[in-house]
């Protein structure tokens, strides 16, 4: 089985948020909290995941999204 290990994977590939006008930015904090709890991410890993989401969205869709928490 393939487990979700990254915030960008969850929001941009496994949900319909990639098609939302904000590309999931509005739910990113809640999704981050849920994944961080499940995967025991450190504060540094949480920040890295937000940055990874931002870069993935920009790269794949040529859009900038806000990832401030």
């Amino acid at each position: 089985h393939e487990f979700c290990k990254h915030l960008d994977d969850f929001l941009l590939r496994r949900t319909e948020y990639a098609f939302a006008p904000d590309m999931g930015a509005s739910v990113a904090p809640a999704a981050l909290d849920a994944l961080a709890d499940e995967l025991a991410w450190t504060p540094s890993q949480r920040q890295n995941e937000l940055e990874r989401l931002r870069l993935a969205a920009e790269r794949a869709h040529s859009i900038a999204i806000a990832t401030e928490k």
Side-chain angles (χ1 to χ4, degrees), residues 5 8 16 29-32 42 50-51 53 55 58 63 65 67:
K5 296 181 181 177
D8 64 309
E16 295 180 3
L32 176 68
T42 65
L50 286 173
E51 180 64 8
L53 172 63
L55 292 172
E58 288 177 1
I63 340 182
I65 63 170
T67 56

Side-chain angles (χ1 to χ4, degrees), residues 6-66:
H6 295 285
L7 182 61
D8 64 309
D9 179 32
F10 176 72
L11 289 176
L12 301 180
R13 292 180 194 87
R14 299 178 188 246
T15 68
E16 295 180 3
Y17 287 111
F19 304 106
D22 72 351
M23 294 197 56
S26 61
V27 298
L32 176 68
D33 288 343
L35 286 168
D37 289 347
E38 183 67 27
L39 299 172
W41 288 340
T42 65
S44 176
Q45 287 171 303
R46 292 167 66 98
Q47 279 305 119
N48 289 342
E49 288 298 317
L50 286 173
E51 180 64 8
R52 182 183 165 110
L53 172 63
R54 185 186 67 75
L55 292 172
E58 288 177 1
R59 184 175 51 253
H61 303 285
S62 299
I63 340 182
I65 63 170

